[in-house]
Amino acid sequence: MVGLSRRWPVSWSLRRRHACASAPGPELAHHECPQGSPHRAPSLWSRLRGLGRSVAGQVFVLQAAVVVALVIAAVVALVLQARRDSLQDARARTLAVAHTFASAPGTAQALTSRNPTTILQPRAEQVRKQTGVAFVVVFDRDGIRLTHPDPSLIGKRVIGPYQQQTVQGLTVTRTFATSRGPAVDSGVPVIRADGKIVGAVSVAITVQHVNAVVNRQVPVVLGAAAVALALGTGGSALVSRRLRRQTHGLGPTEVTRMYEHHDAVLHAVREGVLITAGDGRLMLANDEARRLLDLPPDVERRPIAALGLDPGMVDLLTADRPVTDQMHLAGERLLAVNVRPTAPYSGQPGSAVTLRDATELRTLAGRAERAQQRLRLLYEAGMRIGTTLDVTRTAEEVAEVATSRFADYATVELLEPVLHGAEPEDTAGLLRIACRGVRQGPPLPAAGERVDWDAATPMAMALAGGHAVLERDLTVSPSWLAQVPELARLVPDLGLRSLISVPLKARGVVLGLVTFWRSEHSGPFEEEDLPVTEELAARAAVCIDNARRYTQEHAVAVALQRSLLPRVLPQQNALEVAHRYLPAQAGVGGDWFDVIPLSGARVALVVGDVVGHGLHAAATMGRLRTAVHNFSALDLPPDELLGRLDELVTRIDADGPEGEQDVTGATCLYAIYDPVAEQVTLARAGHLGPALVHPDGTVVLPDIPGSPPLGLGGGLPIETVDLRLPEGSSLVLFTDGLIETRERDIDTGLALLRQALTEPPHTPARDPEHTCQAVFDALQPDHPRDDVALLVARTCLLDPAQVAAWDVPRDPAAVRRIRAGASRQLEVWGLEEIAFTTELIISELITNAIRYGTEPIRLRLLRDRTLICEVADGSSTSPRLCRATTTDEGGRGLFLVAQLAQRWGTRYTHRGKIIWTEQALSGAPDGAGPLLADAAPVL
């Protein structure tokens, strides 16, 4: 066993575990029992019991038992031999004493004498005492005892064949048991000189008496046995101690199991195992190592360099450094080599080497790598496809992803309705949207062309069947290829080898087709590529369908938004206006602008923004724009108009169904420009202020008091600002989408806006249209995420010659004089054609002001695109249009004015009200003639 342990070391893990378990450590000295008492040293009996559990202990016990048994056997043999010698000695002594006594002179004569007992008894007792025998008995031929140590037995007959044999001349020796142990009795006949037997002598002695001599030798024997036992036990202890170090205290069952497991592992493991010594010799090689390295049978203890291995493998096997999974080509096998030193687990320096056949793993690794490539393809498709909600761009992304890792060429074809956001139809034709290849060369059919695949082609079968179709080898010229001449010419030019055609399906509807192509340099497609292409096509189809649906919704929202925005700006002379509107790419928003002509040649400019995107924002924008138009028709000042608009937004939010998106966050900037007063009045609710460009090119961002956004005002007052605008000034209104983006903040955007309005220098030749374009060129975002509205208005003044005004005293007689002056002014303007109608209107309005109003009363005529007549007074009471009955004497004045003028109305000022009318510059309104008869009595 010791030799076996030296040849094949015990398992390193087991040896280390048992070494740690058996080695006394400082922790054992301080270990305490669970109860807290100090750990007591084990007793001798417990040590012996523990010793008997290990191989070394059992060997020690076995050797000690053998030594004890040998000593006992030797003592027993010695004792038995002594007893046997004692018995022989007893026989010899009894025979000698008996012969001597029987042959002694006078014994025979004494037997034949008259009183033989008297003669022989003293002699027999003397001999008995001198020789140490038990008794000396003499009896005659009749068996009568003549002598005996017990006098009472003298004269009695000896019974048994023993007496007969001796008197017949035979010498008899027998062994018999006595109360003092076994005894030996020898009988010898007594023969006279003439040869006649006259009696016999019987001498007996006990074996115990003989053993007394032997017993004196027993201490010597036992001492020698003890010395032998001590020597044998000591030798066994030394051997056991060495064996215990070798086996680390393992039991025989564990050692047996360990070696059985080692043998099983070494023979059954699918890895080669070698143990090398420090001097370069091979100590052990299992069956797999012999097979992998083609080793001869007798390799143990042979130098590794002499085994016929290639130098690279020899270097690895004899390496004195750790080696981990180093690949080495041994013949046709690819081996993964691992080398680890056996120290400190083995007493001798060396290395443990494992060999693993990686030839099959290389094939599996190739398959795994291809699988990983497919997974990376799908992962990349999820990351790169669908980054935008544009159908065409999504199709291009599919082709780009496919040609980056999977195919050499890829084409994407979609049904034509899909491009416009409509639901696909089975009868619709295919349009090639994307075409991409890995190298420059003869191109595939260009994108944008209509494609019509023959029913026999894999493309048509994929569309009809709804699943991927593989054409593994195009070089064999399949029959369908001849029916597609253009493709048949491209196959040899591009070196196309195989293809997979997959339908793009989403929600069970076919949207188009994607075809993957590989050239002869990339190898053909396999069946295992079909699931990958179907998964890729499914992901792409979902993205394309999302883009299609977004395109449809976006088109509807844009159409709604554009229908709500002003298509054509109204004609007016107060401002030269240019505008730009750019909807967001991500979805329509709620930005709007407007130009609203007001009474008195004034013009209102509006820019607003509804926070949010989508149809809801667009619809809300339309409602707010309509409200602004209605409030403007009432000639409300900017602050009051925005206040009412704030109340409207609040009601819209309150009236909306639960869960619907609120409109909170709408902003608005409202400005009224008066070309006569050269003044603009502005108010804003949560909106950015305008930019003002003076005629000399100076750009100013006026400070307009801000108010909360619409719907959040909570009834707070809105402040207005009056700014004087010289003729030729430009007022620039915009929404936050123009200056604020994710890439720049508001301050940066305002700086860019100021720069765009300043450079090149502002000149009269630079009209609002050029200003709009310059601003858009400088600030327009590449991909707007919010709507952009821009309105540029350059001011114009109404010529003073086109304005005439009269102060009217509160006297009815002054009406004729004022009417005559107005008639002369109309002649100056060349408006004689409408002079009579105008006189009627002036007369009615001034009469009403004198009768119902308060001073000051003032008449103003403005010649613009229409003739504007304004009568102002200090009263805030507004006249009301009514229909007079036949018998009423009055009440027909305003009705007459409404019939004669194109438009009329009332606006309030800080000092009262103004009633105004507008008339066409030529001709009279339809129906004016019949009313003249009714007008005369009023005047």
Side-chain angles (χ1 to χ4, degrees):
M1 184 174 294
V2 175
L4 179 61
S5 177
R6 289 179 177 177
R7 179 180 179 185
W8 174 238
V10 181
S11 172
W12 298 297
S13 60
L14 290 176
R15 293 185 60 183
R16 189 171 187 178
R17 173 171 59 86
H18 287 287
C20 294
S22 60
E27 66 277 4
L28 296 180
H30 301 283
H31 177 70
E32 294 184 356
C33 296
Q35 294 80 4
S37 60
H39 183 71
R40 297 179 180 179
S43 62
L44 179 60
W45 173 245
S46 61
R47 289 183 178 181
L48 292 177
R49 285 190 302 173
L51 185 62
R53 296 192 185 101
S54 64
V55 174
Q58 293 187 8
V59 171
F60 172 75
V61 172
L62 179 61
Q63 290 182 348
V66 170
V67 172
V68 171
L70 290 177
V71 171
I72 293 174
V75 172
V76 170
L78 182 61
V79 172
L80 293 178
Q81 181 66 29
R83 288 184 177 181
R84 189 177 68 83
D85 292 344
S86 298
L87 187 60
Q88 294 295 332
D89 184 52
R91 290 178 180 177
R93 290 180 63 183
T94 55
L95 285 176
V97 172
H99 276 291
T100 302
F101 194 87
S103 302
T107 301
Q109 289 80 1
L111 283 173
T112 58
S113 68
R114 179 176 287 183
N115 192 2
T117 300
T118 303
I119 301 171
L120 295 176
Q121 178 67 17
R123 295 182 182 178
E125 285 302 313
Q126 183 181 2
V127 171
R128 182 182 66 81
K129 293 178 181 179
Q130 291 178 350
T131 58
V133 297
F135 60 82
V136 177
V137 177
V138 181
F139 55 88
D140 57 14
R141 289 182 59 87
D142 295 330
I144 301 300
R145 294 187 183 92
L146 300 179
T147 64
H148 198 280
D150 187 4
S152 62
L153 295 179
I154 297 175
K156 294 183 179 181
R157 183 181 294 276
V158 178
I159 303 173
Y162 175 77
Q163 175 265 338
Q164 297 178 0
Q165 292 176 355
T166 54
V167 296
Q168 291 178 2
L170 299 177
T171 301
V172 179
T173 301
R174 67 186 182 109
T175 303
F176 59 95
T178 66
S179 60
R180 293 186 296 177
V184 178
D185 183 11
S186 298
V188 177
V190 179
I191 304 172
R192 289 187 310 187
D194 56 1
K196 184 180 178 180
I197 298 174
V198 293
V201 178
S202 176
V203 177
I205 189 173
T206 61
V207 177
Q208 180 180 6
H209 180 74
V210 179
N211 287 342
V213 179
V214 178
N215 290 339
R216 288 192 294 270
Q217 300 176 356
V218 169
V220 179
V221 174
L222 292 178
V227 172
L229 180 60
L231 293 176
T233 304
S236 299
L238 292 176
V239 173
S240 299
R241 182 178 180 183
R242 180 175 178 83
L243 184 59
R244 186 175 183 181
R245 287 200 304 268
Q246 294 290 333
T247 61
H248 295 280
L250 296 177
T253 303
E254 295 177 350
V255 172
T256 302
R257 184 170 60 250
M258 180 183 65
Y259 281 106
E260 288 177 351
H261 290 175
H262 281 193
D263 290 340
V265 169
L266 289 176
H267 290 286
V269 72
R270 294 299 297 170
E271 288 191 4
V273 178
L274 302 99
I275 302 297
T276 63
D279 56 359
R281 290 181 296 114
L282 182 62
M283 304 305 295
L284 181 141
N286 69 341
D287 299 341
E288 184 68 10
R290 296 172 186 270
R291 184 184 70 85
L292 294 176
L293 297 179
D294 296 329
L295 297 177
D298 52 342
V299 294
E300 281 79 3
R301 299 187 179 278
R302 290 180 57 183
I304 298 176
L307 299 179
L309 302 175
D310 60 275
M313 180 58 71
V314 173
D315 292 341
L316 287 176
L317 297 182
T318 58
D320 56 354
R321 67 186 186 282
V323 177
T324 302
D325 287 338
Q326 183 168 337
M327 295 298 174
H328 184 81
L329 189 62
E332 297 181 354
R333 299 187 181 96
L334 182 64
L335 303 180
V337 183
N338 289 271
V339 180
R340 292 292 185 274
T342 57
Y345 310 106
S346 176
Q348 298 180 355
S351 299
V353 183
T354 59
L355 307 173
R356 185 173 67 254
D357 192 352
T359 306
E360 297 180 358
L361 293 178
R362 181 168 54 180
T363 303
L364 294 176
R367 296 179 181 176
E369 184 178 358
R370 289 193 294 272
Q372 289 182 350
Q373 290 177 351
R374 298 187 185 101
L375 291 177
R376 285 195 296 268
L377 172 67
L378 296 178
Y379 173 78
E380 187 175 351
M383 297 296 294
R384 294 178 55 184
I385 298 176
T387 57
T388 65
L389 290 174
D390 181 77
V391 175
T392 301
R393 178 55 191 158
T394 303
E396 293 173 351
E397 290 171 345
V398 174
E400 291 172 1
V401 170
T403 54
S404 65
R405 294 183 179 273
F406 185 68
D408 293 329
Y409 299 92
T411 58
V412 181
E413 297 142 6
L414 299 178
L415 296 176
E416 191 170 357
V418 176
L419 298 176
H420 308 295
E423 288 288 339
E425 301 175 357
D426 296 337
T427 58
L430 285 173
L431 288 178
R432 177 163 288 128
I433 305 303
C435 179
R436 188 176 181 86
V438 296
R439 64 180 179 86
Q440 298 294 332
L444 290 169
E449 295 184 1
R450 185 176 297 275
V451 181
D452 187 13
W453 296 110
D454 188 85
T457 61
M459 297 76 171
M461 290 188 290
L463 287 174
H467 56 79
V469 177
L470 167 65
E471 187 67 46
R472 192 176 186 277
D473 194 356
L474 294 173
T475 59
V476 297
S477 298
S479 57
W480 62 267
L481 193 59
Q483 302 177 15
V484 190
E486 296 181 357
L487 188 58
R489 290 192 299 270
L490 287 177
V491 167
D493 294 339
L494 296 176
L496 300 180
R497 176 71 179 275
S498 62
L499 69 87
I500 295 179
S501 190
V502 192
L504 296 170
K505 294 177 60 178
R507 300 177 292 107
V509 179
V510 176
L511 305 177
L513 182 73
V514 56
T515 305
F516 307 99
W517 310 76
R518 276 187 184 174
S519 63
E520 56 189 7
H521 302 290
S522 301
F525 288 112
E526 303 292 344
E527 292 289 339
E528 58 187 10
D529 293 321
L530 293 177
V532 180
T533 57
E534 291 181 342
E535 177 67 20
L536 177 61
R539 296 189 181 189
V542 171
C543 296
I544 291 175
D545 188 57
N546 290 338
R548 179 197 65 80
R549 297 173 66 180
Y550 171 78
T551 301
Q552 183 182 26
E553 295 177 1
H554 186 69
V556 172
V558 169
L560 173 62
Q561 184 188 40
R562 293 195 178 278
S563 67
L564 297 176
L565 290 173
R567 298 183 181 179
V568 179
L569 295 181
Q571 298 293 327
Q572 43 81 31
N573 294 330
L575 298 170
E576 296 180 21
V577 181
H579 64 89
R580 292 288 187 276
Y581 187 86
L582 181 65
Q585 287 188 352
V588 296
D591 291 14
W592 88 92
F593 65 93
D594 221 331
V595 177
I596 305 173
L598 301 177
S599 63
R602 298 172 305 138
V603 178
L605 301 176
V606 187
V607 173
D609 182 6
V610 176
V611 176
H613 295 86
L615 293 175
H616 183 75
T620 303
M621 176 268 291
R623 299 172 70 178
L624 295 182
R625 179 171 177 258
T626 302
V628 170
H629 269 270
N630 293 332
F631 294 148
S632 298
L634 300 176
D635 270 324
L636 297 177
D639 54 346
E640 187 176 346
L641 184 143
L642 292 180
R644 295 194 179 188
L645 200 62
D646 178 67
E647 295 176 358
L648 175 63
V649 173
T650 302
R651 287 198 302 270
I652 292 175
D653 286 344
D655 296 340
E658 184 178 357
E660 185 177 341
Q661 181 183 2
D662 293 338
V663 189
T664 54
T667 64
C668 184
L669 171 64
Y670 188 81
I672 297 178
Y673 174 67
D674 188 346
V676 178
E678 300 183 51
Q679 178 177 293
V680 62
T681 303
L682 304 100
R684 65 188 181 98
H687 202 85
L688 295 172
L692 179 60
V693 183
H694 290 284
D696 60 357
T698 305
V699 179
V700 178
L701 298 177
D703 184 15
I704 309 298
S707 299
L710 300 175
L712 299 176
L716 295 177
I718 299 176
E719 299 183 34
T720 61
V721 172
D722 294 331
L723 300 177
R724 183 179 179 278
L725 297 183
E727 185 177 10
S729 300
S730 294
L731 194 63
V732 181
L733 288 74
F734 50 88
T735 58
D736 58 355
L738 177 68
I739 63 173
E740 183 181 15
T741 65
R742 292 184 179 181
E743 292 76 19
R744 63 171 180 258
D745 55 15
I746 294 180
D747 294 336
T748 304
L750 291 176
L752 292 175
L753 175 63
R754 183 190 296 270
Q755 182 179 358
L757 294 174
T758 305
E759 298 176 357
H762 187 80
T763 60
R766 188 176 181 184
D767 58 8
E769 187 66 30
H770 288 88
T771 302
C772 275
Q773 189 61 44
V775 171
F776 248 55
D777 291 342
L779 283 88
Q780 177 184 359
D782 295 332
H783 303 286
R785 294 181 174 88
D786 194 8
D787 292 359
V788 177
L790 175 64
L791 192 65
V792 178
R794 188 166 64 176
T795 62
C796 300
L797 294 181
L798 196 61
D799 190 347
Q802 295 178 288
V803 180
W806 296 267
D807 293 327
V808 180
R810 191 178 176 83
D811 182 4
V815 175
R816 183 181 300 273
R817 179 174 55 82
I818 298 300
R819 185 172 59 204
S823 178
R824 288 191 298 272
Q825 185 64 45
L826 292 178
E827 291 178 359
V828 174
W829 288 342
L831 300 177
E832 297 88 350
E833 186 178 356
I834 61 173
F836 179 72
T837 305
T838 305
E839 290 179 2
L840 290 177
I841 295 174
I842 291 174
S843 298
E844 179 60 30
L845 294 181
I846 293 177
T847 302
N848 284 338
I850 294 174
R851 180 178 299 180
Y852 303 108
T854 61
E855 293 182 333
I857 302 173
R858 184 177 178 81
L859 171 66
R860 188 173 70 166
L861 295 178
L862 303 175
R863 187 183 186 280
D864 194 27
R865 290 180 177 271
T866 60
L867 177 63
I868 302 171
C869 177
E870 297 179 345
V871 176
D873 68 82
S875 173
S876 60
T877 303
S878 177
R880 181 172 57 89
L881 179 66
C882 60
R883 286 183 176 271
T885 62
T886 306
T887 59
D888 289 340
E889 294 182 359
R892 297 180 179 85
L894 285 181
F895 179 75
L896 179 64
V897 171
Q899 294 297 319
L900 296 176
Q902 288 183 333
R903 297 171 59 214
W904 79 279
T906 303
R907 73 174 181 268
Y908 296 92
T909 65
H910 298 292
R911 293 178 295 179
K913 69 177 182 296
I914 297 175
I915 300 176
W916 56 269
T917 63
E918 290 185 4
Q919 298 170 260
L921 296 181
S922 61
D926 295 340
L931 294 175
L932 296 179
D934 296 334
V938 177
L939 297 175

